[in-house]
Amino acid sequence: MKKVNPLNTSSLRHKFSNPGKITSKFSKFLGSIITLILTAVLLPPTILLSPQLEATAYTIRYVPPPHGDARRTEGSGSRGCGKDTISFNLIIPSDHVPQTVSSHPSFFWYMSEVTAPVRFTLVEQGVSKTLIDNQFRVEKPGIVQMQLPADSPGLEVSKKYRWTVSIVCNPVRHSENSYTIGWISRVPVSPELSKKLATATNNHLRAAAYAESGIWYDALSSSYYSNNTDYFISLMEQIGLNDLTQKIRAISKRYEGVTKP
């Protein structure tokens, strides 16, 4: 089990260049960012803390897939773990299976403060073998980003996968663990989307192109890297996560200025 340690944000001003190295960038979208890019199955996920989130004019529109699967997210909300009450939400639509065109997409979720270990798993629908099984600790509340490592098995086109975030309250009695389940489906890049991406010169335009084409995971990821608060917040609110953005703002004020090594 590996431990996620907060980083000194004053030193995080370099772009990601080599797998396995810690990387981060300062962005308007999340203010100060504490980032660990996942480059191997056993490395911890990205922890994002956001001292400043501002609600401004929205310029992105998510259009759900016209024939999307109606499978719903399971287990979001508050759960008990011993004496602790833990809140965690996957940042995905709850009324259909969100899509990606990437073989190694990023997953985002919100988690309140938790002392128990956290477990992330990814399984192909109808297959018993687990593709990713990663256990780690999250020391601060906020948004967590998990990117599939480049050397792990990629998602295949036209297949659905179940991903689960669990709080390991009891490593022996799994029935006592809290969890939330989400789904992801990889689809091919449509000719229309391909045309839009060919002329998208930055992450702002790529996020908008993915969102308009119903490609949730890539729209969310591109909006993060676009350094645009509006895009990420707008996408969250368009799928009904207004309360979650308020929680993130509250956490941001609580941890503003924390740079413990």
Side-chain angles (χ1 to χ4, degrees):
M1 185 184 304
K2 291 185 179 287
K3 200 170 186 180
V4 178
N5 293 316
L7 305 177
N8 189 324
T9 57
S10 63
S11 64
L12 300 180
R13 297 181 181 273
H14 57 278
K15 292 185 66 176
F16 174 68
S17 58
N18 279 320
K21 287 189 175 182
I22 295 173
T23 181
S24 181
K25 62 180 179 179
F26 282 67
S27 68
K28 183 187 299 181
F29 145 52
L30 283 180
S32 296
I33 298 178
I34 298 177
T35 306
L36 296 174
I37 296 297
L38 180 71
T39 57
V41 175
L42 296 180
L43 290 182
T46 299
I47 306 300
L48 307 179
L49 297 182
S50 47
Q52 296 178 354
L53 289 177
E54 302 173 356
T56 55
Y58 300 151
T59 57
I60 189 170
R61 183 172 67 97
Y62 174 61
V63 180
H67 306 294
D69 192 328
R71 194 183 304 271
R72 298 184 64 86
T73 300
E74 304 173 36
S76 297
S78 297
R79 295 288 186 273
C81 187
K83 297 181 179 179
D84 299 327
T85 299
I86 303 164
S87 176
F88 51 113
N89 299 81
L90 307 186
I91 305 181
I92 56 175
S94 62
D95 58 355
H96 63 275
V97 175
Q99 299 179 345
T100 183
V101 296
S102 173
S103 61
H104 294 77
S106 288
F107 301 84
F108 292 85
W109 69 89
Y110 162 83
M111 180 165 289
S112 63
E113 194 159 10
V114 57
T115 57
V118 177
R119 184 183 181 192
F120 174 92
T121 59
L122 178 69
V123 181
E124 180 184 338
Q125 184 181 31
V127 178
S128 59
K129 184 178 179 180
T130 302
L131 293 177
I132 299 290
D133 190 340
N134 185 18
Q135 189 164 305
F136 48 89
R137 287 188 181 274
V138 176
E139 294 189 338
K140 296 183 185 300
I143 295 176
V144 182
Q145 178 198 25
M146 175 75 75
Q147 182 173 4
L148 295 189
D151 58 355
S152 69
L155 307 188
E156 297 183 29
V157 174
S158 301
K159 290 188 177 182
K160 294 184 178 68
Y161 299 81
R162 183 184 75 246
W163 59 288
T164 304
V165 177
S166 306
I167 309 299
V168 186
C169 304
N170 190 323
V172 178
R173 301 182 61 180
H174 297 296
S175 60
E176 296 182 10
N177 296 341
S178 302
Y179 68 92
T180 181
I181 296 174
W183 293 86
I184 183 172
S185 173
R186 187 183 175 192
V187 298
V189 179
S190 67
E192 181 182 3
L193 175 58
S194 180
K195 185 177 180 179
K196 291 180 180 178
L197 292 176
T199 59
T201 57
N202 54 50
N203 282 313
H204 295 85
L205 297 176
R206 280 186 282 273
Y210 285 128
E212 291 170 1
S213 301
I215 310 299
W216 173 261
Y217 286 94
D218 304 271
L220 192 66
S221 183
S222 293
S223 71
Y224 162 62
Y225 288 111
S226 73
N227 297 335
N228 191 311
T229 303
D230 302 350
Y231 279 32
F232 200 88
I233 293 295
S234 177
L235 287 172
M236 290 176 64
E237 294 183 340
Q238 286 178 51
I239 61 170
L241 296 180
N242 304 62
D243 292 342
L244 182 54
T245 62
Q246 298 303 316
K247 289 180 181 179
I248 295 172
R249 290 189 181 100
I251 290 171
S252 302
K253 293 179 181 179
R254 179 181 175 187
Y255 284 99
E256 186 169 3
V258 173
T259 57
K260 295 180 180 180

